[in-house]
Amino acid sequence: MKLREIISFLEQIAPPSLQEAYDNSGLITGDIEMDITGAIICLDSTPEVIAEAKAKGCNLVIAHHPIVFSGLKKLTGKNYIERTVIEAIRSGIAIYAIHTNLDNVKQGVNMRIAQVIGLHNVAVLDRKAGHLLKIAVYVPHSHVSEVREAMFSAGAGHIGNYDQCSFNVLGTGTFRAGDGADPYVGKLGESHQEPETRIEVVTNSWTKARVVNAMLASHPYEEVAYDIYRIENESDNFGAGLIGELENDVLVLDFLKEIKLKMKAGAVRYTKPHKTHIRKIAVCGGSGGFLLEKAVQAGADMLITADFKYHQFFDADNRIIIADIGHYESEQFTMNLLNDWFSQKFANFATHLTAVVTNPVYYL
């Protein structure tokens, strides 16, 4: 399998445009035309993971965290980042990172946390805006179904848990075909009126080209009239963090013990409970302190995340319980998530969860 096929699959799940501005997701080392023999899936690319890939005959490492965040001015092997990149290039191993773009997908990192701890009725906590487009096209009645279905098949028409969503308005199109035209209806040099339907669909910015191409290919006119608008609606499927509910109210301390066990946490740091029972839980893999106020506004009883500093714990202020389970611990099941997706999509492609524990934090 070519690396570009794997990248295309990953970027359909977690489009690069969803990554945060500071991030460096994508191909770190490697050639998109190289043949891939197998992949190691990990949270962090380290020299030990590169060695593991070599030992298992894999020439691709798929990591959650980018090994390179900022530019490298030298490659001398003075730190683990440079050593990892040097060894990957020397060994012909590609490194691909799928980081905050996977965090910002509803079915990504945070959904796996929600599944592990048993949340239901899950929704995006901090929804993203500015990634939605509306496409409107004018179609003769004879081809309405064909054009609409082509756009749906290309990825348009998804709103929340619904698909094949469109709005259709009847009207009349007017035109006159000039010299060199080959009109589907009407005659050269004569004004023509044609009953048409205006089809409106919503799509994501990263599927625009695919939807437009499908629309043009299925449309009978040689000159297709269509409009594309950027809309500011927030998406139900993209954004930071998730919020959901437990099946029943639970005792705070019992639930803290449960998440420590289920999330394989070495420790759970938490704020003083301001209530005895909880049910509504917000989660964010990695450093989720920026979502504290969003979680409070959404009525969450607890925010499960990582990397809270001492003074940030005061910000709970008897409004919510903060549960810090550790960065690695909150994201470790991302590896299983990616592995499951590969198993479903590519039955004959070898992927391996790394046997290297890359967590730099130890507990007594």
Side-chain angles (χ1 to χ4, degrees):
M1 188 181 301
K2 296 289 186 183
L3 178 55
R4 58 177 165 76
E5 297 175 68
I6 296 172
I7 292 175
S8 176
F9 169 64
L10 291 172
E11 293 185 352
Q12 287 179 36
I13 295 171
S17 59
L18 285 176
Q19 70 177 300
E20 301 298 332
Y22 64 81
D23 199 10
N24 190 37
S25 294
L27 189 61
I28 307 295
T29 68
D31 178 354
I32 61 170
E33 293 302 326
M34 63 191 288
D35 292 310
I36 301 302
T37 57
I40 296 289
I41 298 174
C42 62
L43 280 189
D44 307 282
S45 302
T46 65
E48 292 78 14
V49 171
I50 301 301
E52 180 185 26
K54 290 173 61 178
K56 291 182 176 176
C58 299
N59 61 349
L60 172 63
V61 169
I62 301 171
H64 184 45
H65 298 133
I67 184 64
V68 178
F69 262 103
S70 55
L72 292 176
K73 294 185 177 181
K74 298 178 181 179
L75 283 172
T76 62
K78 68 179 180 182
N79 56 44
Y80 87 96
I81 295 174
E82 293 182 8
R83 291 194 295 274
T84 301
V85 172
I86 289 171
E87 189 55 36
I89 294 172
R90 179 185 290 144
S91 303
I93 294 175
I95 299 175
Y96 184 89
I98 182 167
H99 189 213
T100 54
N101 48 330
L102 187 58
D103 292 333
N104 284 326
V105 175
K106 183 179 181 181
Q107 298 300 325
V109 174
N110 297 310
M111 183 61 80
R112 185 49 63 101
I113 299 173
Q115 291 167 346
V116 170
I117 66 176
L119 295 186
H120 303 274
N121 303 321
V122 176
V124 174
L125 179 59
D126 186 16
R127 299 185 300 172
K128 280 189 172 293
H131 290 279
L132 293 176
L133 303 173
K134 179 173 285 188
I135 300 178
V137 59
Y138 304 85
V139 186
H141 294 338
S142 60
H143 282 70
V144 169
S145 294
E146 184 178 344
V147 173
R148 193 167 48 215
E149 289 302 319
M151 296 171 78
F152 290 158
S153 297
H158 290 268
I159 301 177
N161 293 324
Y162 295 82
D163 65 0
Q164 298 188 3
C165 302
S166 70
F167 190 75
N168 303 267
V169 183
L170 301 180
T172 302
T174 67
F175 51 84
R176 182 170 65 182
D179 293 341
D182 183 17
Y184 176 72
V185 290
K187 297 180 180 179
L188 289 174
E190 296 183 4
S191 294
H192 180 80
Q193 295 187 3
E194 181 68 21
E196 294 177 340
T197 298
R198 173 186 166 106
I199 303 172
E200 296 182 3
V201 295
V202 172
T203 194
N204 300 309
S205 57
W206 50 88
T207 57
K208 180 184 76 171
R210 190 163 68 243
V211 172
V212 169
N213 288 338
M215 175 193 72
L216 294 175
S218 59
H219 203 292
Y221 291 175
E222 62 177 345
E223 296 291 346
V224 179
Y226 64 95
D227 308 309
I228 300 177
Y229 307 92
R230 183 170 297 278
I231 56 179
E232 292 304 314
N233 301 51
E234 294 177 339
S235 172
D236 294 327
N237 294 316
F238 307 107
L242 292 180
I243 187 166
E245 296 179 340
L246 299 169
E247 197 72 53
N248 302 291
D249 290 0
V250 297
L251 288 167
V252 173
L253 292 180
D254 287 349
F255 184 62
L256 288 168
K257 292 174 183 176
E258 184 178 339
I259 60 173
K260 179 182 178 182
L261 179 65
K262 288 183 174 180
M263 298 301 297
K264 302 178 182 179
V268 178
R269 300 189 303 150
Y270 62 96
T271 54
K272 181 181 179 180
H274 61 289
K275 55 176 69 176
T276 58
H277 290 75
I278 58 174
R279 187 170 189 173
K280 200 168 187 180
I281 310 297
V283 300
C284 181
S287 305
F290 68 99
L291 288 173
L292 181 61
E293 292 305 318
K294 283 284 185 179
V296 171
Q297 293 167 15
D301 299 312
M302 178 180 287
L303 170 61
I304 301 172
T305 186
D307 297 346
F308 264 84
K309 296 180 180 179
Y310 173 81
H311 289 285
Q312 290 178 304
F313 280 97
F314 285 103
D315 295 334
D317 200 21
N318 289 324
R319 301 174 299 162
I320 193 172
I321 301 165
I322 296 169
D324 186 323
I325 62 173
H327 196 117
Y328 178 92
E329 289 80 3
S330 70
E331 295 181 331
Q332 62 188 302
F333 295 108
T334 303
M335 294 184 285
N336 304 85
L337 175 70
L338 290 167
N339 195 52
D340 290 347
W341 282 339
F342 271 96
S343 297
Q344 294 164 14
K345 178 68 175 180
F346 306 111
N348 297 319
F349 179 69
T351 57
H352 307 270
L353 298 179
T354 182
V356 179
V357 177
T358 59
N359 190 359
V361 180
Y362 287 79
Y363 304 93
L364 284 175

